[in-house]
Structure formats: structure tokens, C-alpha cells
Amino acid sequence: MVLAGGLAARAGEVTVVGANLFRLLYQLPDAVGRPLVAAVQLGSLTVVPVAVGLALAFRRLRLAGALAVAGGVAWALAGVVQDLVGRAGPAELLGSVVERMAQAGAGYPSRHVAVAAALATTAGPYLRPVARRVSWWVVAGVALGSVHAGLQLPLDALGGAALGWAVAGAVHLGLGTPGGLSSPSEVLEGLRAAGIQAVDARPLSADARGSAPYLVLTAGGEELFVKAVGREQRDADLLYKLWRWAAFR
């Protein structure tokens, strides 16, 4: 996706759809646009050490290292691609565009969006669902803000998001990520929320096809067999079911 966008950007032509979408975002009212312009700074290089510091404060050493690598590589790689593509920003390609903030590095792909996407994707497996969704809202804010500020075209923002996602994926592959399986205390909490008065959960060493099996004891003395499926295992479980369905056909 990054390569395809780069080839399109290198041609130096802005499509009608891209120009119209840029105009739509560029002309947003100030009540919406000003917060978006401020959000662009959340994708700057200075945010990387801040994110690393927060990870260290929560004693997430592996996450801190992954954030440092992903953020730094995304910023540097986006700069390299910008030099290779060599396309100007909206102010030079389109008429009547004024950059609303002093920021270097316009062109394909957006450096700020790349950094924001790399950090959000890298931190994703370590975050709770709500925090993970918030992080991607931040990425969206950086992308929309960079277009509204007159720094990037929509294609630039999209290319930056794809580059950041790819860099974070490579970091995950190289450094690994948490498995996402629930702990015994989380299993008990989930069962109680479902109305089952569980008092003890003991992990079992059994082949449970990508889930964590537990022997659970209820308040009434009943023993239950429970399979805890983490967020990373849900897709794997679905793929296994599809493979089994196809194999038996």
C-alpha cells in the first residue's frame, strides 16, 4: 500500500477525488479545525521519548524498547520515502492553500501520521480495549489535522498510516508481543460478571486449541471446565474453525 501510494504521489498529479476531499477537510470550521491542528503535534518525534517514559513509569520495559524503535524508525523511514518520492505539499500543488502551522516535511507520506500510527500499533497489544481505541482516535486526529493544516493531502496521511502500521508490525515480529490470555483473577472476574459465583480458577495443562483451559470451582462446590480466549486468540480460533469446516467438506 505504501509503494502503490508512493508511485501515485510521484506522478505529481492530484486526483479530483483527492483534491475535493482535501478541500472538504481544509475548510472545516475553526471550532473543529483548531483542535485537529493542535493534535498534529501528537505525531511529532518528541512524542516518542514521552511514550517511552510512560512505558518505563509503568515498568513495561519491553514496550518501552518497542516504542523507541517503532517511533524512531517510522520517522526516519518516512523521511527517506519523502525524499525518494519528491512530491511537494498542497500549498504548491493546489491553489489558495495556506499552511496553518509552521511545520517542515510536507509530502508523501506524512511523517506525523506515520509516527502516531507506529506508536499506536506497537502499544496496542499492551493496552486495554478502551485505551487501544483512544490511541487510534489520536491517529485519526493527527491525520485529519495534518490535512486541515494544509500540510498533507489525504493520500499522504493514508500512506503515513500504512507505513506506521507496517513498521510496528515488523517490530512486533522481531520483539514479540503479549499473548493476550486472561489470568486466573481475570477469569474469575469475568465469570462473576456473567452471574457465576466462581471462587477459584486453576489452569490446566491441556490442548485447548489456542485458548487457556481452567478448572473453576463455584461457591456451591460445582466444578466447571472453562476455556479463556484472549483477544489475540479469537481470530486464530475462527481460522481453525474455518479450516476444520473446509477439511471435513
Side-chain angles (χ1 to χ4, degrees), residues 105-122:
Y108 180 91
S110 169
R111 268 184 154 181
H112 288 74
V113 179
V115 171
L119 294 178
T121 307
T122 300

Side-chain angles (χ1 to χ4, degrees), residues 76-179:
L77 192 56
V80 171
V81 177
Q82 281 184 349
D83 292 339
L84 291 175
V85 173
R87 198 203 62 192
E92 297 182 32
L93 295 174
L94 301 174
S96 304
V97 175
V98 178
E99 294 182 353
R100 291 189 169 97
M101 60 184 296
Q103 190 69 60
Y108 180 91
S110 169
R111 268 184 154 181
H112 288 74
V113 179
V115 171
L119 294 178
T121 307
T122 300
Y126 299 84
L127 301 177
R128 292 184 177 275
V130 173
R132 194 159 57 247
R133 286 193 291 269
V134 169
S135 69
W136 277 104
W137 277 111
V138 170
V139 177
V142 173
L144 294 175
S146 65
V147 176
H148 178 72
L151 301 176
Q152 316 285 169
L153 292 169
L155 179 63
D156 305 336
L158 185 61
L163 178 62
W165 179 81
V167 169
V171 171
H172 284 166
L173 184 63
L175 301 181
T177 61

